Amino acid sequence: MIKTPVQVRFADCDIAGHIHNAVYLHYFESGRIHFFVSQLGTNWDWKAQGIILKKNTIIYHSPGQITDQIVVEVTCTHIGESSFTLGYKVINQENELRAEGESVLVCMDYTVGQIIQIPESFLSILQEHLISTDQA
């Protein structure tokens, strides 16, 4: 699991002081980018071995507050041939779960405009962070 602190901005909140529901996608993105950069480094060739977002889902648990100190936890929950799923938990300083969600991402070679298999070096990183989502 990779943890990313995220600053709650005044602009993230509605008139009641709650974090607006759409902002959680930005928090997921911040966590996702930190996950990639921390694991792949800054020299990764995103054009030849990139990703494209296919799907986001969010489950809201409790209203985030402007006073929250947010951390986004990122894990891998599924690995396919050319796609994978990242899971997110948005937690405040009191360990209260504000929201959770997932993103399905597809590997893409933008230089030729085609979907590709998950690159081997990237696959090993995803496997290191793979967790079971079975609750049975």
Side-chain angles (χ1 to χ4, degrees):
M1 169 190 339
I2 300 294
K3 296 182 179 185
T4 305
V6 176
Q7 175 69 47
V8 177
R9 302 171 307 156
F10 181 76
D12 293 347
C13 299
D14 59 23
I15 196 165
H18 299 146
I19 299 170
H20 189 273
N21 61 312
V23 173
Y24 286 94
L25 291 174
H26 292 286
Y27 295 168
F28 291 177
E29 180 182 47
S30 293
R32 181 169 62 245
I33 297 305
H34 181 253
F35 176 87
F36 292 142
V37 171
S38 71
Q39 299 301 296
L40 298 171
T42 57
N43 293 323
W44 187 261
D45 185 353
W46 287 104
K47 289 185 181 178
Q49 297 180 325
I51 54 168
I52 190 165
L53 181 64
K54 181 176 182 174
K55 177 182 173 183
N56 273 322
T57 58
I58 304 174
I59 300 170
Y60 302 100
H61 290 277
S62 61
Q65 307 292 320
I66 195 166
T67 55
D68 279 353
Q69 296 171 21
I70 295 292
V71 172
V72 180
E73 298 178 351
V74 180
T75 58
C76 181
T77 61
H78 174 77
I79 302 171
E81 294 281 325
S82 60
S83 66
F84 58 95
T85 304
L86 293 182
Y88 312 98
K89 289 186 179 182
V90 177
I91 299 171
N92 74 359
Q93 69 275 14
E94 295 169 8
N95 209 31
E96 297 170 325
L97 180 62
R98 296 302 195 192
E100 63 184 322
E102 290 186 328
S103 294
V104 176
L105 300 139
V106 179
C107 293
M108 178 93 173
D109 182 339
Y110 286 93
T111 64
V112 295
Q114 291 185 339
I115 293 171
I116 59 172
Q117 286 192 337
I118 300 170
E120 284 298 320
S121 55
F122 193 62
L123 180 61
S124 64
I125 290 166
L126 293 173
Q127 289 169 335
E128 286 177 31
H129 295 280
L130 184 64
I131 62 163
S132 172
T133 58
D134 296 333
Q135 300 296 320

mmCIF file of all heavy atoms in Angstrom, residues 61-107:
data_model
loop_
_atom_site.group_PDB
_atom_site.id
_atom_site.type_symbol
_atom_site.label_atom_id
_atom_site.label_comp_id
_atom_site.label_asym_id
_atom_site.label_seq_id
_atom_site.Cartn_x
_atom_site.Cartn_y
_atom_site.Cartn_z
ATOM 1 N N HIS A 61 -18.593 7.272 2.373
ATOM 2 C CA HIS A 61 -18.907 6.721 3.692
ATOM 3 C C HIS A 61 -19.318 7.787 4.694
ATOM 4 O O HIS A 61 -20.249 7.577 5.457
ATOM 5 C CB HIS A 61 -17.714 5.923 4.226
ATOM 6 C CG HIS A 61 -17.499 4.649 3.474
ATOM 7 N ND1 HIS A 61 -18.190 3.493 3.738
ATOM 8 C CD2 HIS A 61 -16.681 4.366 2.429
ATOM 9 C CE1 HIS A 61 -17.809 2.548 2.899
ATOM 10 N NE2 HIS A 61 -16.889 3.051 2.095
ATOM 11 N N SER A 62 -18.609 8.900 4.710
ATOM 12 C CA SER A 62 -18.959 9.982 5.621
ATOM 13 C C SER A 62 -18.442 11.284 5.020
ATOM 14 O O SER A 62 -17.430 11.283 4.317
ATOM 15 C CB SER A 62 -18.367 9.754 7.016
ATOM 16 O OG SER A 62 -16.960 9.692 6.971
ATOM 17 N N PRO A 63 -19.120 12.393 5.295
ATOM 18 C CA PRO A 63 -18.708 13.658 4.678
ATOM 19 C C PRO A 63 -17.318 14.098 5.146
ATOM 20 O O PRO A 63 -17.057 14.165 6.342
ATOM 21 C CB PRO A 63 -19.762 14.661 5.140
ATOM 22 C CG PRO A 63 -20.873 13.866 5.718
ATOM 23 C CD PRO A 63 -20.314 12.549 6.118
ATOM 24 N N GLY A 64 -16.451 14.361 4.182
ATOM 25 C CA GLY A 64 -15.154 14.934 4.502
ATOM 26 C C GLY A 64 -15.329 16.390 4.901
ATOM 27 O O GLY A 64 -16.238 17.072 4.426
ATOM 28 N N GLN A 65 -14.460 16.851 5.769
ATOM 29 C CA GLN A 65 -14.549 18.214 6.292
ATOM 30 C C GLN A 65 -13.343 19.027 5.842
ATOM 31 O O GLN A 65 -12.265 18.488 5.594
ATOM 32 C CB GLN A 65 -14.590 18.189 7.822
ATOM 33 C CG GLN A 65 -15.656 17.288 8.410
ATOM 34 C CD GLN A 65 -17.056 17.789 8.144
ATOM 35 O OE1 GLN A 65 -17.315 18.984 8.213
ATOM 36 N NE2 GLN A 65 -17.958 16.879 7.827
ATOM 37 N N ILE A 66 -13.514 20.331 5.810
ATOM 38 C CA ILE A 66 -12.410 21.219 5.437
ATOM 39 C C ILE A 66 -11.241 21.092 6.410
ATOM 40 O O ILE A 66 -10.096 21.331 6.050
ATOM 41 C CB ILE A 66 -12.896 22.683 5.322
ATOM 42 C CG1 ILE A 66 -11.839 23.510 4.588
ATOM 43 C CG2 ILE A 66 -13.251 23.257 6.675
ATOM 44 C CD1 ILE A 66 -12.327 24.859 4.117
ATOM 45 N N THR A 67 -11.508 20.658 7.637
ATOM 46 C CA THR A 67 -10.458 20.503 8.646
ATOM 47 C C THR A 67 -9.765 19.143 8.594
ATOM 48 O O THR A 67 -8.825 18.905 9.345
ATOM 49 C CB THR A 67 -11.051 20.702 10.050
ATOM 50 O OG1 THR A 67 -12.142 19.792 10.222
ATOM 51 C CG2 THR A 67 -11.527 22.142 10.234
ATOM 52 N N ASP A 68 -10.221 18.260 7.707
ATOM 53 C CA ASP A 68 -9.616 16.927 7.600
ATOM 54 C C ASP A 68 -8.181 17.004 7.096
ATOM 55 O O ASP A 68 -7.849 17.827 6.242
ATOM 56 C CB ASP A 68 -10.406 16.034 6.631
ATOM 57 C CG ASP A 68 -11.635 15.402 7.266
ATOM 58 O OD1 ASP A 68 -11.823 15.526 8.489
ATOM 59 O OD2 ASP A 68 -12.405 14.765 6.515
ATOM 60 N N GLN A 69 -7.378 16.130 7.645
ATOM 61 C CA GLN A 69 -6.032 15.878 7.116
ATOM 62 C C GLN A 69 -6.131 14.524 6.409
ATOM 63 O O GLN A 69 -6.169 13.485 7.052
ATOM 64 C CB GLN A 69 -5.010 15.866 8.244
ATOM 65 C CG GLN A 69 -4.877 17.208 8.932
ATOM 66 C CD GLN A 69 -4.020 17.133 10.176
ATOM 67 O OE1 GLN A 69 -3.220 16.216 10.352
ATOM 68 N NE2 GLN A 69 -4.199 18.096 11.064
ATOM 69 N N ILE A 70 -6.209 14.590 5.100
ATOM 70 C CA ILE A 70 -6.537 13.435 4.268
ATOM 71 C C ILE A 70 -5.284 12.656 3.869
ATOM 72 O O ILE A 70 -4.251 13.231 3.526
ATOM 73 C CB ILE A 70 -7.270 13.898 2.984
ATOM 74 C CG1 ILE A 70 -8.627 14.529 3.324
ATOM 75 C CG2 ILE A 70 -7.421 12.776 1.982
ATOM 76 C CD1 ILE A 70 -9.638 13.570 3.853
ATOM 77 N N VAL A 71 -5.428 11.336 3.878
ATOM 78 C CA VAL A 71 -4.435 10.434 3.304
ATOM 79 C C VAL A 71 -5.184 9.520 2.336
ATOM 80 O O VAL A 71 -6.256 9.011 2.658
ATOM 81 C CB VAL A 71 -3.730 9.594 4.390
ATOM 82 C CG1 VAL A 71 -2.854 8.521 3.763
ATOM 83 C CG2 VAL A 71 -2.907 10.478 5.300
ATOM 84 N N VAL A 72 -4.605 9.339 1.141
ATOM 85 C CA VAL A 72 -5.163 8.416 0.156
ATOM 86 C C VAL A 72 -4.280 7.172 0.146
ATOM 87 O O VAL A 72 -3.075 7.264 -0.080
ATOM 88 C CB VAL A 72 -5.214 9.042 -1.256
ATOM 89 C CG1 VAL A 72 -5.790 8.054 -2.255
ATOM 90 C CG2 VAL A 72 -6.021 10.328 -1.240
ATOM 91 N N GLU A 73 -4.889 6.028 0.435
ATOM 92 C CA GLU A 73 -4.179 4.757 0.388
ATOM 93 C C GLU A 73 -4.469 4.094 -0.954
ATOM 94 O O GLU A 73 -5.630 3.991 -1.355
ATOM 95 C CB GLU A 73 -4.630 3.843 1.522
ATOM 96 C CG GLU A 73 -4.338 4.399 2.891
ATOM 97 C CD GLU A 73 -4.837 3.522 4.026
ATOM 98 O OE1 GLU A 73 -5.571 2.536 3.768
ATOM 99 O OE2 GLU A 73 -4.491 3.829 5.176
ATOM 100 N N VAL A 74 -3.424 3.642 -1.634
ATOM 101 C CA VAL A 74 -3.572 3.030 -2.955
ATOM 102 C C VAL A 74 -3.018 1.609 -2.927
ATOM 103 O O VAL A 74 -1.902 1.382 -2.444
ATOM 104 C CB VAL A 74 -2.839 3.846 -4.042
ATOM 105 C CG1 VAL A 74 -3.007 3.204 -5.414
ATOM 106 C CG2 VAL A 74 -3.317 5.290 -4.057
ATOM 107 N N THR A 75 -3.814 0.689 -3.435
ATOM 108 C CA THR A 75 -3.397 -0.699 -3.589
ATOM 109 C C THR A 75 -3.817 -1.170 -4.974
ATOM 110 O O THR A 75 -4.567 -0.484 -5.669
ATOM 111 C CB THR A 75 -4.067 -1.609 -2.533
ATOM 112 O OG1 THR A 75 -5.487 -1.490 -2.660
ATOM 113 C CG2 THR A 75 -3.638 -1.249 -1.127
ATOM 114 N N CYS A 76 -3.354 -2.324 -5.356
ATOM 115 C CA CYS A 76 -3.807 -2.970 -6.585
ATOM 116 C C CYS A 76 -4.791 -4.064 -6.183
ATOM 117 O O CYS A 76 -4.505 -4.853 -5.278
ATOM 118 C CB CYS A 76 -2.616 -3.558 -7.342
ATOM 119 S SG CYS A 76 -3.064 -4.350 -8.899
ATOM 120 N N THR A 77 -5.951 -4.112 -6.833
ATOM 121 C CA THR A 77 -6.969 -5.095 -6.459
ATOM 122 C C THR A 77 -7.230 -6.132 -7.545
ATOM 123 O O THR A 77 -7.885 -7.134 -7.295
ATOM 124 C CB THR A 77 -8.300 -4.407 -6.088
ATOM 125 O OG1 THR A 77 -8.785 -3.675 -7.215
ATOM 126 C CG2 THR A 77 -8.117 -3.479 -4.898
ATOM 127 N N HIS A 78 -6.712 -5.903 -8.748
ATOM 128 C CA HIS A 78 -6.905 -6.869 -9.838
ATOM 129 C C HIS A 78 -5.855 -6.621 -10.918
ATOM 130 O O HIS A 78 -5.528 -5.474 -11.219
ATOM 131 C CB HIS A 78 -8.307 -6.738 -10.443
ATOM 132 C CG HIS A 78 -8.514 -7.603 -11.645
ATOM 133 N ND1 HIS A 78 -8.726 -8.946 -11.556
ATOM 134 C CD2 HIS A 78 -8.508 -7.313 -12.972
ATOM 135 C CE1 HIS A 78 -8.857 -9.448 -12.768
ATOM 136 N NE2 HIS A 78 -8.724 -8.482 -13.658
ATOM 137 N N ILE A 79 -5.364 -7.719 -11.485
ATOM 138 C CA ILE A 79 -4.421 -7.631 -12.604
ATOM 139 C C ILE A 79 -4.922 -8.523 -13.726
ATOM 140 O O ILE A 79 -5.188 -9.713 -13.512
ATOM 141 C CB ILE A 79 -2.996 -8.071 -12.187
ATOM 142 C CG1 ILE A 79 -2.478 -7.221 -11.019
ATOM 143 C CG2 ILE A 79 -2.050 -7.990 -13.380
ATOM 144 C CD1 ILE A 79 -1.178 -7.728 -10.418
ATOM 145 N N GLY A 80 -5.064 -7.940 -14.908
ATOM 146 C CA GLY A 80 -5.459 -8.697 -16.088
ATOM 147 C C GLY A 80 -4.302 -8.778 -17.070
ATOM 148 O O GLY A 80 -3.137 -8.616 -16.694
ATOM 149 N N GLU A 81 -4.615 -8.992 -18.354
ATOM 150 C CA GLU A 81 -3.589 -9.069 -19.402
ATOM 151 C C GLU A 81 -3.064 -7.675 -19.763
ATOM 152 O O GLU A 81 -1.865 -7.456 -19.831
ATOM 153 C CB GLU A 81 -4.175 -9.727 -20.656
ATOM 154 C CG GLU A 81 -4.542 -11.175 -20.478
ATOM 155 C CD GLU A 81 -3.326 -12.078 -20.548
ATOM 156 O OE1 GLU A 81 -2.401 -11.783 -21.326
ATOM 157 O OE2 GLU A 81 -3.312 -13.069 -19.801
ATOM 158 N N SER A 82 -3.990 -6.762 -20.030
ATOM 159 C CA SER A 82 -3.613 -5.404 -20.440
ATOM 160 C C SER A 82 -4.204 -4.344 -19.521
ATOM 161 O O SER A 82 -3.977 -3.165 -19.726
ATOM 162 C CB SER A 82 -4.058 -5.145 -21.880
ATOM 163 O OG SER A 82 -5.457 -5.280 -21.992
ATOM 164 N N SER A 83 -4.948 -4.766 -18.527
ATOM 165 C CA SER A 83 -5.569 -3.805 -17.613
ATOM 166 C C SER A 83 -5.341 -4.240 -16.169
ATOM 167 O O SER A 83 -4.994 -5.390 -15.887
ATOM 168 C CB SER A 83 -7.065 -3.685 -17.887
ATOM 169 O OG SER A 83 -7.724 -4.901 -17.578
ATOM 170 N N PHE A 84 -5.554 -3.286 -15.273
ATOM 171 C CA PHE A 84 -5.435 -3.550 -13.849
ATOM 172 C C PHE A 84 -6.354 -2.588 -13.119
ATOM 173 O O PHE A 84 -6.820 -1.601 -13.677
ATOM 174 C CB PHE A 84 -3.978 -3.415 -13.373
ATOM 175 C CG PHE A 84 -3.367 -2.071 -13.628
ATOM 176 C CD1 PHE A 84 -3.364 -1.091 -12.646
ATOM 177 C CD2 PHE A 84 -2.798 -1.771 -14.859
ATOM 178 C CE1 PHE A 84 -2.802 0.155 -12.884
ATOM 179 C CE2 PHE A 84 -2.221 -0.540 -15.101
ATOM 180 C CZ PHE A 84 -2.231 0.426 -14.119
ATOM 181 N N THR A 85 -6.610 -2.895 -11.862
ATOM 182 C CA THR A 85 -7.492 -2.066 -11.044
ATOM 183 C C THR A 85 -6.737 -1.605 -9.807
ATOM 184 O O THR A 85 -6.104 -2.405 -9.125
ATOM 185 C CB THR A 85 -8.745 -2.862 -10.620
ATOM 186 O OG1 THR A 85 -9.399 -3.361 -11.793
ATOM 187 C CG2 THR A 85 -9.714 -1.991 -9.832
ATOM 188 N N LEU A 86 -6.803 -0.295 -9.569
ATOM 189 C CA LEU A 86 -6.254 0.272 -8.342
ATOM 190 C C LEU A 86 -7.405 0.586 -7.402
ATOM 191 O O LEU A 86 -8.448 1.099 -7.823
ATOM 192 C CB LEU A 86 -5.464 1.547 -8.632
ATOM 193 C CG LEU A 86 -4.177 1.388 -9.437
ATOM 194 C CD1 LEU A 86 -3.487 2.744 -9.602
ATOM 195 C CD2 LEU A 86 -3.226 0.386 -8.801
ATOM 196 N N GLY A 87 -7.216 0.283 -6.128
ATOM 197 C CA GLY A 87 -8.199 0.594 -5.102
ATOM 198 C C GLY A 87 -7.712 1.744 -4.244
ATOM 199 O O GLY A 87 -6.503 1.901 -4.025
ATOM 200 N N TYR A 88 -8.664 2.558 -3.790
ATOM 201 C CA TYR A 88 -8.330 3.748 -2.996
ATOM 202 C C TYR A 88 -9.156 3.772 -1.720
ATOM 203 O O TYR A 88 -10.323 3.395 -1.716
ATOM 204 C CB TYR A 88 -8.663 5.032 -3.763
ATOM 205 C CG TYR A 88 -8.181 5.067 -5.176
ATOM 206 C CD1 TYR A 88 -9.039 4.755 -6.222
ATOM 207 C CD2 TYR A 88 -6.865 5.420 -5.475
ATOM 208 C CE1 TYR A 88 -8.599 4.792 -7.536
ATOM 209 C CE2 TYR A 88 -6.431 5.454 -6.782
ATOM 210 C CZ TYR A 88 -7.300 5.141 -7.810
ATOM 211 O OH TYR A 88 -6.865 5.173 -9.100
ATOM 212 N N LYS A 89 -8.556 4.282 -0.656
ATOM 213 C CA LYS A 89 -9.265 4.623 0.569
ATOM 214 C C LYS A 89 -8.842 6.025 0.950
ATOM 215 O O LYS A 89 -7.647 6.322 1.010
ATOM 216 C CB LYS A 89 -8.949 3.651 1.703
ATOM 217 C CG LYS A 89 -9.562 2.290 1.494
ATOM 218 C CD LYS A 89 -9.369 1.405 2.691
ATOM 219 C CE LYS A 89 -10.035 0.060 2.413
ATOM 220 N NZ LYS A 89 -9.926 -0.834 3.560
ATOM 221 N N VAL A 90 -9.820 6.879 1.203
ATOM 222 C CA VAL A 90 -9.565 8.249 1.647
ATOM 223 C C VAL A 90 -9.897 8.289 3.138
ATOM 224 O O VAL A 90 -11.059 8.094 3.523
ATOM 225 C CB VAL A 90 -10.409 9.275 0.857
ATOM 226 C CG1 VAL A 90 -10.169 10.681 1.383
ATOM 227 C CG2 VAL A 90 -10.091 9.186 -0.635
ATOM 228 N N ILE A 91 -8.866 8.525 3.936
ATOM 229 C CA ILE A 91 -8.986 8.424 5.395
ATOM 230 C C ILE A 91 -8.508 9.734 6.015
ATOM 231 O O ILE A 91 -7.548 10.343 5.536
ATOM 232 C CB ILE A 91 -8.142 7.246 5.907
ATOM 233 C CG1 ILE A 91 -8.676 5.952 5.284
ATOM 234 C CG2 ILE A 91 -8.132 7.176 7.420
ATOM 235 C CD1 ILE A 91 -7.819 4.749 5.515
ATOM 236 N N ASN A 92 -9.170 10.158 7.098
ATOM 237 C CA ASN A 92 -8.745 11.389 7.767
ATOM 238 C C ASN A 92 -7.822 11.072 8.945
ATOM 239 O O ASN A 92 -7.493 9.912 9.204
ATOM 240 C CB ASN A 92 -9.948 12.250 8.177
ATOM 241 C CG ASN A 92 -10.704 11.690 9.361
ATOM 242 O OD1 ASN A 92 -10.381 10.631 9.913
ATOM 243 N ND2 ASN A 92 -11.740 12.385 9.780
ATOM 244 N N GLN A 93 -7.428 12.112 9.659
ATOM 245 C CA GLN A 93 -6.473 11.986 10.755
ATOM 246 C C GLN A 93 -6.999 11.154 11.916
ATOM 247 O O GLN A 93 -6.226 10.685 12.748
ATOM 248 C CB GLN A 93 -6.033 13.380 11.252
ATOM 249 C CG GLN A 93 -7.098 14.176 11.964
ATOM 250 C CD GLN A 93 -8.010 14.971 11.030
ATOM 251 O OE1 GLN A 93 -8.035 14.749 9.828
ATOM 252 N NE2 GLN A 93 -8.754 15.904 11.603
ATOM 253 N N GLU A 94 -8.288 10.947 11.994
ATOM 254 C CA GLU A 94 -8.875 10.127 13.053
ATOM 255 C C GLU A 94 -9.188 8.727 12.562
ATOM 256 O O GLU A 94 -9.947 7.993 13.193
ATOM 257 C CB GLU A 94 -10.120 10.827 13.612
ATOM 258 C CG GLU A 94 -9.754 12.133 14.306
ATOM 259 C CD GLU A 94 -10.959 12.997 14.635
ATOM 260 O OE1 GLU A 94 -12.105 12.538 14.471
ATOM 261 O OE2 GLU A 94 -10.733 14.143 15.053
ATOM 262 N N ASN A 95 -8.596 8.371 11.420
ATOM 263 C CA ASN A 95 -8.760 7.063 10.790
ATOM 264 C C ASN A 95 -10.211 6.783 10.388
ATOM 265 O O ASN A 95 -10.636 5.633 10.364
ATOM 266 C CB ASN A 95 -8.208 5.943 11.685
ATOM 267 C CG ASN A 95 -7.725 4.773 10.879
ATOM 268 O OD1 ASN A 95 -7.251 4.920 9.754
ATOM 269 N ND2 ASN A 95 -7.858 3.581 11.429
ATOM 270 N N GLU A 96 -10.955 7.840 10.090
ATOM 271 C CA GLU A 96 -12.328 7.698 9.606
ATOM 272 C C GLU A 96 -12.296 7.575 8.087
ATOM 273 O O GLU A 96 -11.693 8.397 7.399
ATOM 274 C CB GLU A 96 -13.177 8.901 10.001
ATOM 275 C CG GLU A 96 -13.322 9.063 11.497
ATOM 276 C CD GLU A 96 -13.954 10.393 11.881
ATOM 277 O OE1 GLU A 96 -13.715 11.407 11.209
ATOM 278 O OE2 GLU A 96 -14.678 10.396 12.893
ATOM 279 N N LEU A 97 -12.950 6.540 7.592
ATOM 280 C CA LEU A 97 -13.032 6.321 6.152
ATOM 281 C C LEU A 97 -14.050 7.289 5.565
ATOM 282 O O LEU A 97 -15.227 7.248 5.894
ATOM 283 C CB LEU A 97 -13.443 4.878 5.862
ATOM 284 C CG LEU A 97 -13.570 4.475 4.397
ATOM 285 C CD1 LEU A 97 -12.236 4.613 3.672
ATOM 286 C CD2 LEU A 97 -14.086 3.039 4.305
ATOM 287 N N ARG A 98 -13.575 8.193 4.727
ATOM 288 C CA ARG A 98 -14.456 9.176 4.086
ATOM 289 C C ARG A 98 -15.026 8.638 2.787
ATOM 290 O O ARG A 98 -16.187 8.831 2.489
ATOM 291 C CB ARG A 98 -13.709 10.492 3.836
ATOM 292 C CG ARG A 98 -13.263 11.206 5.093
ATOM 293 C CD ARG A 98 -14.414 11.511 5.993
ATOM 294 N NE ARG A 98 -14.039 12.492 7.020
ATOM 295 C CZ ARG A 98 -14.785 12.749 8.066
ATOM 296 N NH1 ARG A 98 -15.916 12.113 8.252
ATOM 297 N NH2 ARG A 98 -14.405 13.653 8.940
ATOM 298 N N ALA A 99 -14.182 7.973 2.005
ATOM 299 C CA ALA A 99 -14.634 7.409 0.728
ATOM 300 C C ALA A 99 -13.646 6.328 0.312
ATOM 301 O O ALA A 99 -12.510 6.285 0.778
ATOM 302 C CB ALA A 99 -14.708 8.493 -0.346
ATOM 303 N N GLU A 100 -14.114 5.461 -0.561
ATOM 304 C CA GLU A 100 -13.246 4.468 -1.174
ATOM 305 C C GLU A 100 -13.682 4.300 -2.619
ATOM 306 O O GLU A 100 -14.788 4.693 -3.000
ATOM 307 C CB GLU A 100 -13.275 3.141 -0.422
ATOM 308 C CG GLU A 100 -14.631 2.463 -0.406
ATOM 309 C CD GLU A 100 -14.632 1.194 0.433
ATOM 310 O OE1 GLU A 100 -13.627 0.446 0.408
ATOM 311 O OE2 GLU A 100 -15.639 0.948 1.103
ATOM 312 N N GLY A 101 -12.809 3.736 -3.410
ATOM 313 C CA GLY A 101 -13.159 3.561 -4.806
ATOM 314 C C GLY A 101 -12.140 2.743 -5.547
ATOM 315 O O GLY A 101 -11.183 2.221 -4.960
ATOM 316 N N GLU A 102 -12.365 2.644 -6.850
ATOM 317 C CA GLU A 102 -11.473 1.897 -7.725
ATOM 318 C C GLU A 102 -11.368 2.592 -9.072
ATOM 319 O O GLU A 102 -12.296 3.281 -9.494
ATOM 320 C CB GLU A 102 -11.987 0.478 -7.959
ATOM 321 C CG GLU A 102 -11.906 -0.434 -6.779
ATOM 322 C CD GLU A 102 -12.290 -1.854 -7.119
ATOM 323 O OE1 GLU A 102 -13.141 -2.065 -8.001
ATOM 324 O OE2 GLU A 102 -11.726 -2.757 -6.485
ATOM 325 N N SER A 103 -10.243 2.365 -9.729
ATOM 326 C CA SER A 103 -10.037 2.798 -11.106
ATOM 327 C C SER A 103 -9.563 1.603 -11.911
ATOM 328 O O SER A 103 -8.645 0.906 -11.494
ATOM 329 C CB SER A 103 -8.958 3.884 -11.204
ATOM 330 O OG SER A 103 -9.362 5.067 -10.575
ATOM 331 N N VAL A 104 -10.206 1.376 -13.045
ATOM 332 C CA VAL A 104 -9.728 0.385 -13.999
ATOM 333 C C VAL A 104 -8.873 1.141 -15.010
ATOM 334 O O VAL A 104 -9.327 2.126 -15.605
ATOM 335 C CB VAL A 104 -10.891 -0.347 -14.704
ATOM 336 C CG1 VAL A 104 -10.356 -1.309 -15.757
ATOM 337 C CG2 VAL A 104 -11.770 -1.067 -13.687
ATOM 338 N N LEU A 105 -7.640 0.696 -15.176
ATOM 339 C CA LEU A 105 -6.683 1.344 -16.064
ATOM 340 C C LEU A 105 -6.207 0.342 -17.112
ATOM 341 O O LEU A 105 -6.004 -0.831 -16.806
ATOM 342 C CB LEU A 105 -5.505 1.881 -15.259
ATOM 343 C CG LEU A 105 -5.953 2.904 -14.211
ATOM 344 C CD1 LEU A 105 -5.231 2.713 -12.912
ATOM 345 C CD2 LEU A 105 -5.767 4.294 -14.745
ATOM 346 N N VAL A 106 -6.048 0.816 -18.333
ATOM 347 C CA VAL A 106 -5.631 -0.027 -19.450
ATOM 348 C C VAL A 106 -4.276 0.468 -19.936
ATOM 349 O O VAL A 106 -4.063 1.676 -20.088
ATOM 350 C CB VAL A 106 -6.672 0.025 -20.590
ATOM 351 C CG1 VAL A 106 -6.228 -0.824 -21.772
ATOM 352 C CG2 VAL A 106 -8.046 -0.420 -20.090
ATOM 353 N N CYS A 107 -3.364 -0.462 -20.199
ATOM 354 C CA CYS A 107 -2.038 -0.098 -20.705
ATOM 355 C C CYS A 107 -2.132 0.244 -22.188
ATOM 356 O O CYS A 107 -2.811 -0.435 -22.955
ATOM 357 C CB CYS A 107 -1.058 -1.243 -20.472
ATOM 358 S SG CYS A 107 -0.731 -1.498 -18.714
#
